Amino acid sequence: MATLAIGSLLQNPRLSSPRGQKLLLNLKPLHSLDLDCSPHRKLLCSRGACFSNSNPCGKFHIVKASSTDTAPIDTFSSADILYEQTFPVNRIEKVEGKLLIRLDQSKEQLNWRLTIGCSLSGKWILHWGVSYVGDTGSEWDQPPKDMWPHGSIPIKDYAIETPFKKPSKDDTFHEVKIDFNPSSAIEAIHFILKDEETGASYQHKGRDFRVSLVNYLEDDGNMIHTKRSFGKWPDAVEQLPNMVLKAEASCDSKNENRRLEGFYEEQPIVKEVSVGNMVNVAIRKFPDAANIVLHLETDIPGDVVVHWGVCRDDAKTWEISAVPYPPETTVFRNKALRTLLQPTGNGSRALFTLDEKLDGFLFVLKLDANSWVNFQGNDFYIPLSSARSVKGQSDSESEETSGKAHTDGIINEIRNLVSGLNSEKSLQTKVKEAKESILNEIEKLAAEAYSIFRSSTPSYPEEDSDADDAEPTINISSGTGSGFEILCQGFNWESNKSGRWYMELKEKASEISSLGFTVIWLPPPTESVSPEGYLPKDLYNLNSRYGTIDELKDLVKSLHGVGLKVLGDVVLNHRCAHYQNQNGVWNIFGGRLNWDDRAVVGDDPHFQGRGNKSSGDNFHAAPNIDHSQDFVRKDLIEWLCWLREEIGYDGWRLDFVRGFWGGYVKDYLDASEPYFAVGEYWDSLSYTYGEMDHNQDAHRQRIVDWINATNGTAGAFDVTTKGILHSALERREYWRLSDQKGKPPGVVGWWPSRAVTFIENHDTGSTQGHWRFPGGKEMQGYAYILTHPGTPAVFYDHIVSHHRSEIGALISLRNRNKIHCRSIVEIVKAERDVYAATIDDRVAMKIGPGYYEPPSGPQRWSLALEGYDYKVWEASS
């Protein structure tokens, strides 16, 4: 498991390349740079292959550094300084501490006290509740009021939250003390540890911790053994353990009385904190030398490997540079080079001697098998041709020349693509998807050319209106994006609690973007009866528990600045009323959309609407809106278009779309023209005698029918795939992941371009836990959805958990291999204990404890990622 997750942060948002294209670095003059060479070090293991002075399995060979052609360090002062650029980067560092649990009796011998402590700094919250003797299921209840520690607040009717406090200002740990009467009917205390600073939750395999107070008569191997008191806490070396806490108890089997015995338990806990670093790239030219020298330096601690190559044209095809190479350089797959940076006092660095006729230098930084620094999942690209054109020119002249040179190359690429699209042979052979792919590529190139044009015309920085008039229109398939989207759910069920979620998320925008996400889904923005936003009232009032309308605008602007598209969560099925009718029923609305009871469906007895019958399933907590009414559709269309223009949303997550006909959704999307849209169509899968059926065609057909009703203008969450993954992983029945025709068994197997795959969200997980993914198997789920077609969605809680590094590595692998929503899956194994597949002949994967290795042959495979019960390989030619 990776211990670091690194993401590159864009220093100047205006220079970001649209929709995940490679970053073009606009370099600035370098005035001085102190350079030094340090002794060689042993190379580190990365991605399953070891860099060393041996040749393991023929995967690598060592290239000796040449001292005759390498730029001399002591003559750098005589070199012409061309450009320098410094890039801020964020890495995630793990801080280790202790979670402490103690149960003991009060001095008065009347009550008992449960003390939960944490040795790590931070704003810690205990989210907790109780269960009673005789309860069934896994639901919590709020504890009695006399158990509430000072400062506790209620969470609905099932839990409370209590802030941790230091016993005194000199103490090094935080704690919560809970007093209770042992004669009460409480059977257990349940809790989750939450870090308010990061939003992370610490649980037991995705479930709550449980301190049981009764009915444990024998030591079943999981008892917590008693210690006398808190002591000094040594540093922990592992992540939060898989544990269930149980209080020791004893009683006579013929007597209902119980006798508690105290215990004290220490367990390791790990918190991930963001640490800022930098990567500096500089280019120099020596007098009378045919080569240029690129200097790369970083203050990231530890071993850092540069995975690099060069290119000769704007296609940016990786090639191996000619010698000389820096010390400790290896050849990787005959396509690239890897160089271990040499240590300095504050980091590490390397010098690269390059032919000045080359067009570009491409690289990423690898820290270990699963962590690297790149630009939003793509390679850094240094345009060497731009550096050449600078010599003898002023800064503004060089930027203009390099921008023109690069845009000329892009224009030529567009011309070639258009020629290929319109040629007679192409028209006869290319399928619709291939043509769409070419058009998407043209759009990306055009946007990139325009971005360079904007950044290379410094004479008119203020003339935004003229520039906006010149901006080309980019026609994306409305509602379905480009096909390469990776969605991040940017909140959980508790995000509204602080009242400033928009500002908290703004601080994380660059980190989220650097993981490789392209789209982020924000919570419902409207005034709402429920703080989470899903019982909207005044649709035009965007001051919510997540923040103000101005803070929302600021957040969306920041997310756009780091290259993310933004989805608004819109609740169109129902709306809470402002007033009662003459019968005392709440069905009269206020605000800008002051509808009367004609806007409410007529077949919901709870709200006595005068509209037509519902076109879907009723949601009984609020009046269901009658979308067949012309005035309702007109008002909702105006509202969606207002959100697009006023807030800047790029698309929609549509709540509870089971409640109304998909044809109305088509009207809304045709009018608001979202970049991407996805509907929540969630109903129960098929079961027989409590066991999930293998054939879930009826379930996925209902979702596909809804997508069809929208005329394909929106996708839908692939609830079918989530449910099947539950049974496959929980019951070790991986054969379920292939349908009767050998295809994926969810929506992704029938209509992958409209399937948004996921394993968890704010309803199924978080503190609601309505349908929590099997604990400890989350990464198997992500290994499946992030390598398969469809549009994968990642839940916020998992991004800020210890899964972050592995998720980031899978996203980068997906981007690197250009897996998209229509990628081709070949299932090669679906058995009791293992599922394996290849995707686009570029990626092979397996999940489950069973054995699978991709076969050797014309297609050579190398292990790219590995975790608990999953592996992923990449193809090499």
Side-chain angles (χ1 to χ4, degrees), residues 300-596:
I300 297 173
D303 291 325
V304 179
V305 171
V306 183
H307 181 95
W308 63 282
V310 296
C311 61
R312 300 185 180 276
D313 53 38
D314 292 325
K316 305 179 184 65
T317 303
W318 282 61
E319 297 181 11
I320 293 178
S321 175
V323 293
Y325 301 141
E328 299 197 58
T329 296
T330 64
V331 176
F332 177 73
R333 297 184 188 169
N334 293 321
K335 289 185 177 180
L337 297 160
R338 284 183 170 175
T339 299
L340 178 67
L341 297 184
Q342 301 300 300
T344 65
N346 297 317
S348 53
R349 62 179 63 165
L351 296 177
F352 303 85
T353 303
L354 306 169
D355 188 338
E356 67 174 354
K357 296 179 181 179
L358 294 170
D359 263 39
F361 179 85
L362 306 104
F363 72 95
V364 294
L365 301 182
K366 294 191 69 68
L367 306 183
D368 57 37
N370 293 327
S371 304
W372 53 87
V373 180
N374 53 29
F375 172 64
Q376 297 184 354
N378 292 290
D379 315 323
F380 283 110
Y381 174 67
I382 312 296
L384 303 178
S385 55
S386 299
R388 288 199 305 271
S389 66
V390 168
K391 188 176 180 181
Q393 300 179 16
S394 67
D395 290 346
S396 60
E397 289 171 336
S398 69
E399 290 177 4
E400 182 178 357
T401 302
S402 62
K404 183 178 185 302
H406 196 67
T407 50
D408 286 346
I410 292 175
I411 291 169
N412 288 333
E413 268 193 76
I414 294 174
R415 286 173 178 162
N416 292 336
L417 288 167
V418 172
S419 299
L421 183 65
N422 293 323
S423 66
E424 183 177 352
K425 180 179 179 181
S426 173
L427 289 173
Q428 292 173 351
T429 59
K430 289 189 186 294
V431 296
K432 180 181 178 182
E433 287 81 1
K435 293 179 183 178
E436 288 180 355
S437 177
I438 290 176
L439 289 171
N440 286 333
E441 191 63 28
I442 290 172
E443 292 162 2
K444 294 174 185 176
L445 289 167
E448 184 178 353
Y450 183 72
S451 175
I452 297 167
F453 167 75
R454 286 290 300 274
S455 64
S456 60
T457 53
S459 300
Y460 310 98
E462 303 295 330
E463 298 184 6
D464 291 336
S465 58
D466 293 341
D468 289 343
D469 293 340
E471 186 166 357
T473 300
I474 299 175
N475 295 317
I476 297 294
S477 298
S478 182
T480 58
S482 67
F484 291 89
E485 283 72 30
I486 302 176
L487 174 62
C488 166
Q489 179 175 359
F491 64 101
N492 62 26
W493 193 248
E494 305 296 319
S495 295
N496 64 87
K497 293 293 191 299
S498 68
R500 57 183 306 273
W501 182 249
Y502 293 149
M503 293 296 94
E504 292 176 20
L505 195 60
K506 177 185 174 183
E507 296 172 0
K508 301 177 186 296
S510 294
E511 296 178 34
I512 293 171
S513 174
S514 69
L515 285 171
F517 291 104
T518 63
V519 182
I520 186 168
W521 155 25
L522 298 185
T526 57
E527 176 202 17
S528 170
V529 172
S530 64
E532 297 81 16
Y534 289 100
L535 292 175
K537 194 173 180 182
D538 184 354
L539 299 187
Y540 279 91
N541 182 355
L542 302 191
N543 295 313
S544 71
R545 289 289 295 272
Y546 298 100
T548 67
I549 182 173
D550 290 332
E551 290 171 341
L552 174 59
K553 290 179 182 179
D554 194 22
L555 169 62
V556 171
K557 182 178 179 181
S558 297
L559 294 169
H560 285 161
V562 295
L564 289 167
K565 300 288 187 182
V566 181
L567 303 187
D569 198 329
V570 289
V571 183
L572 303 179
N573 175 76
H574 50 272
R575 182 185 171 196
C576 290
H578 292 69
Y579 312 107
Q580 296 168 291
N581 68 2
Q582 65 273 18
N583 299 323
V585 176
W586 293 88
N587 61 12
I588 307 299
F589 303 92
R592 183 165 164 181
L593 302 183
N594 54 347
W595 302 332
D596 59 19

Side-chain angles (χ1 to χ4, degrees), residues 613-625:
K613 288 186 177 181
S614 175
S615 57
D617 297 332
N618 278 330
F619 179 82
H620 297 296
N624 288 248
I625 299 305

Side-chain angles (χ1 to χ4, degrees), residues 603-802:
D603 55 349
D604 184 352
H606 297 89
F607 296 101
Q608 299 180 8
R610 291 193 294 125
N612 297 311
K613 288 186 177 181
S614 175
S615 57
D617 297 332
N618 278 330
F619 179 82
H620 297 296
N624 288 248
I625 299 305
D626 179 10
H627 294 265
S628 69
Q629 302 283 2
D630 291 340
F631 72 91
V632 168
R633 293 200 306 279
K634 175 179 177 294
D635 285 348
L636 289 179
I637 285 172
E638 288 182 359
W639 178 63
L640 291 171
C641 292
W642 176 79
L643 287 176
R644 289 271 277 139
E645 181 177 350
E646 184 73 14
I647 305 302
Y649 286 126
D650 301 292
W652 316 117
R653 181 265 185 185
L654 302 157
D655 183 65
F656 198 76
V657 295
R658 278 174 47 203
F660 55 106
W661 179 47
Y664 299 133
V665 173
K666 178 184 181 301
D667 293 343
Y668 300 142
L669 300 188
D670 285 347
S672 60
E673 297 183 331
Y675 171 85
F676 190 86
V678 54
E680 179 209 28
Y681 194 101
W682 180 7
D683 67 355
S684 179
L685 278 74
S686 302
Y687 293 83
T688 301
Y689 303 116
E691 183 173 336
M692 180 181 288
D693 296 341
H694 180 210
N695 187 334
Q696 293 293 335
D697 288 354
H699 184 267
R700 58 175 166 174
Q701 184 65 60
R702 292 194 292 274
I703 299 175
V704 167
D705 287 346
W706 179 83
I707 300 172
N708 265 321
T710 74
N711 202 29
T713 56
F717 287 108
D718 193 348
V719 180
T720 317
T721 290
K722 173 177 167 63
I724 293 170
L725 280 169
H726 274 243
S727 284
L729 275 57
E730 249 178 347
R731 301 165 61 94
R732 194 174 286 191
E733 296 173 345
Y734 291 85
W735 48 266
R736 291 182 177 274
L737 294 172
S738 176
D739 67 11
Q740 289 84 347
K741 296 182 179 180
K743 301 293 184 182
V747 178
V748 72
W750 278 1
W751 203 345
S753 66
R754 301 300 186 271
V756 177
T757 53
F758 72 108
I759 71 167
E760 205 79 288
N761 63 29
H762 61 290
D763 286 321
T764 66
S766 192
T767 52
Q768 288 205 99
H770 289 320
W771 193 25
R772 203 180 297 280
F773 199 77
K777 302 181 186 295
E778 292 87 355
M779 286 313 305
Q780 288 189 64
Y782 282 122
Y784 181 91
I785 70 171
L786 287 170
T787 59
H788 279 54
T791 299
V794 179
F795 183 40
Y796 179 82
D797 285 8
H798 294 155
I799 298 170
V800 298
S801 74
H802 61 279

Side-chain angles (χ1 to χ4, degrees), residues 10-28:
L10 184 61
Q11 185 180 25
N12 185 349
R14 291 187 60 194
L15 301 184
S16 62
S17 181
R19 269 170 270 144
Q21 292 296 291
K22 296 184 179 73
L23 174 64
L24 300 174
L25 304 183
N26 212 1
L27 303 177
K28 298 180 180 179

